[in-house]
Structure formats: structure tokens, C-alpha cells
């Protein structure tokens, strides 16, 4: 039995938005349709959109007093989140994204878990969904351990303490105590915030009963740019935090390095620069790329990759684009730092 509304904490949903005209109405609708008896507000933090998003959100806010608008002229998600949290009036912060849709009971379940576990941050599962062959293949990759490296919130995990929380249902007091999101990061800000919460002695919790529909990028260019930017900022986090990053983050850059070395070695062997025993010994570098190519080929015969052969081929290509874009970005981030790199997948087609 749900607790009476008078005992439920107020909830502020914080949604950073930039160039999301195709998704913003559905995202807002899913927030406003939450079956939660406590007080609620939606704080939309508007970036400098050029696709009509600003006009759509402004019209929604004028028609519904539950929606408040905050503006942010910088292309910075952490800054937008911090502006939204500071503007929020309630004790519980629910981060939402313009590419997401919440199940109707998401807030009720999440707040109950937050209270039951006394966690500072609670997250659920990202359930990626797509329209058309490419976006559907990207969604399958998001939902696969192969696609995103086995993060618990992509499925298959049981309830319990977690390294990070997808989006997050969070206690505002704890966020303020640790300094909110790091505005020096343009990607990976969730993971880094949850790291600081855990280091401060707070609990981060995964509850698989919480499910969020996520609409991934829908063109090859957007996908590559998104994963390159994500890789760059993960590389920056490795520069800053070193060994506190999971080993799974190092697999894609290792693949990129092995592939690059294989191409160099192949050229040197074909031109006769390297021959004989040295060529045989160095040929071990081919092992990684060959096994990876075999993995991609095997995806053409796995039903979970897609119904038709064309769907499976698209899925295999999506996996490769994710891994190589992320890995190349990671190496750039580690070697050169992220500097002012931004995710341009919402800016360019």
C-alpha cells in the first residue's frame, strides 16, 4: 500500500533540452503522466536550440503551471543540470532526458526505493527503443552487453548497490553537499557524480523495476559523433581518476590500437621492410582484429541481432561504429585531454 500523499516528498524533474523537437513532447508527456501523489514540478533547462524546441517548450509551459523553464546559453549538460537543481523547489531530484520516456509508476517506485534503501541516488534500466532499421539496430546494441560494455543499467543485473545510476532519482541535499555535477565535464558526468557520492559514504542503488524508454541516435553520423565524444570524456576521466575506472573501458581503445598496428605491420610486410622471423613474431598483433572481425561475422547468424539478414548486418556495423568511435575518442581524451570537446550529434545530422 502506497504511503499517503502528505508523507511523500515533493519531486522536481530536471530535464536539460537542446534541439529535441522530435522527442520533447513525448518526454514531457511521460513526466506529466506520472502516477505520483506527492507534489511535482518539471524544470526544463533550455539550451540555444535551432529546431523549434524552444517554442514547443515555451508553449507547453504557458499552458501548464507544473512546467518551469530555465535557460542556459552554453552547450553544457552538467551546467544545465546544476541550474535546474538549484532552481528546483523539492527534496527529490529526478533527472530526465529529452530522449527518454518514463513508465507511469517510475516516480512512485523510485521514491519508495530511495526511502527504503536510504540511498543518495537510485537508478533503473535503460530500455532502448528504435524506429526503422538503423535506430532499431542501435537500440539492440544499447540493450546488449556487447554494445555498451556490460553496464548494469543496460539489463541483466539484480537489485543492489551500484557503481552508477542511469539518470537518477536523487536526494537534493546530498547533491548540494558534494557540489552537484562537475561543470568541467561534458560527458560522463553521471558516473563522476555517483563516484563522489559513494566516496562521501552514500549509497548508489540499482532497482531493475525502474525502467526508462530511451530513443538513441538515428543516423550513422550522429551515432559516431556521440560515441566519439563519450570516449573522449571517458579518456579525460581516466586522466583525472586513473585506476578508479573499470577495466571494461579499456577494451575499445585496445582494439583501435591493435587495428592500427595491424595495418602498419601489413604495409611493412607487403613492402618487404619486415620479413622472416620478425614478421612471424610480430604477426601476433593481427590476433585481436581477426577475432573481432570473426565476432562481427558471427552476429550475422545470431537471431538476437535482428530478424532479417539486413537487420543483422546493420547491427554488426552499429557495434563496430560504437566500438571504434568510442575507442578512438578515448585515446584522444587520454593523450590530449578533452579540452572543450562536445557531443555534436544534436548539432549536425
Amino acid at each position: 500500500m502506497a504511503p499517503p500523499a502528505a508523507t511523500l516528498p515533493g519531486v522536481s524533474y530536471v530535464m536539460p533540452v537542446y534541439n529535441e523537437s522530435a522527442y520533447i513532447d513525448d518526454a514531457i508527456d511521460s513526466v506529466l503522466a506520472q502516477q505520483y501523489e506527492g507534489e511535482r514540478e518539471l524544470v526544463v533547462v533550455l539550451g540555444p536550440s535551432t529546431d523549434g524546441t524552444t517554442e514547443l517548450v515555451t508553449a507547453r509551459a504557458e499552458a501548464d503551471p507544473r512546467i518551469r523553464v530555465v535557460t542556459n546559453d552554453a552547450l553544457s549538460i552538467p551546467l544545465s543540470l546544476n541550474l535546474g537543481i538549484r532552481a528546483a523547489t523539492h527534496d527529490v531530484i529526478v533527472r530526465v532526458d529529452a530522449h527518454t520516456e518514463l513508465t507511469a509508476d517510475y516516480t512512485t517506485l523510485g521514491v519508495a526505493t530511495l526511502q527504503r534503501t536510504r540511498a543518495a541516488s537510485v537508478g533503473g534500466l535503460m530500455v532502448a527503443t528504435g524506429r526503422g532499421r538503423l535506430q532499431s539496430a542501435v537500440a539492440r546494441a544499447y540493450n546488449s552487453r556487447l554494445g555498451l560494455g556490460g553496464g548494469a543499467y543496460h539489463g541483466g543485473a539484480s537489485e543492489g548497490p551500484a557503481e552508477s545510476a542511469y539518470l537518477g532519482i536523487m536526494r537534493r541535499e546530498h547533491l548540494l553537499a558534494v557540489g552537484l555535477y562537475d561543470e568541467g565535464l561534458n560527458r560522463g558526468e553521471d558516473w563522476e557524480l555517483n563516484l563522489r557520492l559513494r566516496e562521501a559514504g552514500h549509497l548508489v542503488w540499482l532497482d531493475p523495476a525502474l525502467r526508462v524508454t530511451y530513443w538513441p541516435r538515428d543516423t550513422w553520423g550522429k551515432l559516431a559523433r556521440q560515441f566519439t565524444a563519450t570516449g573522449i570524456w571517458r579518456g579525460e576521466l581516466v586522466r583525472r581518476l586513473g585506476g578508479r575506472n573499470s577495466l571494461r573501458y579499456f577494451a575499445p581503445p585496445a582494439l583501435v590500437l591493435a587495428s592500427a598496428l595491424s595495418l602498419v605491420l601489413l604495409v611493412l610486410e607487403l613492402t618487404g621492410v619486415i620479413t622472416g622471423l620478425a614478421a612471424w613474431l610480430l604477426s601476433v598483433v593481427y590476433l585481436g582484429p581477426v577475432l573481432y572481425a570473426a565476432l562481427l561475422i558471427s552476429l550475422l547468424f545470431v537471431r538476437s541481432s535482428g530478424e532479417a539478414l539486413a537487420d543483422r548486418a546493420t547491427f554488426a556495423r552499429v557495434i563496430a561504429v560504437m566500438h571504434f568511435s568510442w575507442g578512438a575518442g578515448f585515446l584522444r581524451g587520454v593523450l590530449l585531454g578533452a579540452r572543450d570537446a562536445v557531443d555534436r550529434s544534436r548539432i549536425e545530422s
Side-chain angles (χ1 to χ4, degrees):
M1 181 177 178
T7 68
L8 290 171
V11 170
S12 295
Y13 304 88
V14 176
M15 180 189 295
V17 175
Y18 173 72
N19 277 356
E20 296 291 3
S21 60
Y23 298 95
I24 187 61
D25 277 325
D26 289 339
I28 290 176
D29 287 344
S30 81
V31 171
L32 299 183
Q34 289 296 290
Q35 298 170 354
Y36 183 70
E37 297 301 322
E39 294 185 9
R40 294 178 290 151
E41 66 174 354
L42 169 59
V43 182
V44 180
V45 187
L46 282 174
S49 297
T50 57
D51 69 343
T53 297
T54 298
E55 291 76 12
L56 286 171
V57 172
T58 300
R60 295 291 300 260
E62 290 174 350
D64 194 322
R66 293 173 294 177
I67 303 173
R68 298 169 53 207
V69 174
V70 175
T71 59
N72 174 24
D73 293 332
L75 292 178
S76 170
I77 291 177
L79 175 57
S80 290
L81 289 167
N82 288 347
L83 288 171
I85 293 168
R86 291 190 181 102
T89 58
H90 294 309
D91 296 332
V92 174
I93 301 296
V94 177
R95 176 179 174 176
V96 285
D97 186 88
H99 269 253
T100 61
E101 295 171 28
L102 310 178
T103 58
D105 59 355
Y106 180 83
T107 307
T108 297
L109 293 175
V111 170
T113 300
L114 197 70
Q115 294 178 321
R116 169 171 55 87
T117 62
R118 300 185 181 277
S121 177
V122 170
L125 299 183
M126 172 199 283
V127 183
T129 305
R131 305 183 183 100
R133 175 169 291 155
L134 175 55
Q135 193 181 41
S136 295
V138 176
R140 289 195 297 277
Y142 265 85
N143 293 331
S144 165
R145 293 180 65 86
L146 182 62
L148 287 176
Y153 58 79
H154 297 296
S158 57
E159 182 176 8
E163 176 182 308
S164 187
Y166 175 56
L167 296 181
I169 300 170
M170 301 166 283
R171 298 181 187 274
R172 187 171 183 269
E173 61 178 312
H174 295 326
L175 297 181
L176 293 172
V178 299
L180 300 178
Y181 288 90
D182 185 341
E183 294 175 10
L185 298 175
N186 281 334
R187 303 290 290 182
E189 70 283 349
D190 285 322
W191 184 89
E192 193 275 340
L193 173 66
N194 282 285
L195 172 65
R196 282 187 284 120
L197 286 171
R198 289 188 285 111
E199 289 181 337
H202 300 302
L203 184 64
V204 176
W205 194 266
L206 170 69
D207 184 352
L210 299 172
R211 303 175 72 84
V212 180
T213 297
Y214 173 78
W215 297 93
R217 302 299 185 265
D218 55 5
T219 71
W220 291 109
K222 290 179 181 179
L223 181 67
R225 281 188 286 275
Q226 178 191 20
F227 273 77
T228 299
T230 304
I232 288 172
W233 282 100
R234 177 54 60 178
E236 173 68 24
L237 285 171
V238 167
R239 284 170 64 99
R240 297 185 186 192
L241 304 173
R244 286 181 285 179
N245 288 267
S246 171
L247 288 176
R248 71 174 183 270
Y249 296 125
F250 296 88
L255 172 65
V256 171
L257 282 176
S259 299
L261 291 174
S262 295
L263 289 174
V264 171
L265 179 60
L266 180 62
V267 170
L268 293 177
E269 288 179 338
L270 291 176
T271 56
V273 176
I274 296 179
T275 60
L277 180 61
W280 280 102
L281 292 175
L282 291 173
S283 64
V284 69
V285 76
Y286 294 131
L287 184 60
V290 168
L291 290 176
Y292 186 75
L295 171 65
L296 295 180
I297 292 172
S298 72
L299 295 177
L300 300 177
F301 304 96
V302 178
R303 186 67 176 271
S304 61
S305 298
E307 290 293 329
L309 180 60
D311 297 328
R312 297 173 190 177
T314 302
F315 176 76
R317 183 181 172 191
V318 164
I319 292 294
V321 169
M322 283 182 168
H323 289 169
F324 278 93
S325 298
W326 199 97
F330 180 96
L331 292 172
R332 173 185 158 183
V334 166
L335 296 174
L336 303 176
R339 301 180 183 178
D340 58 350
V342 297
D343 177 5
R344 303 189 69 82
S345 61
R346 289 186 173 93
I347 304 172
E348 304 168 9
S349 301

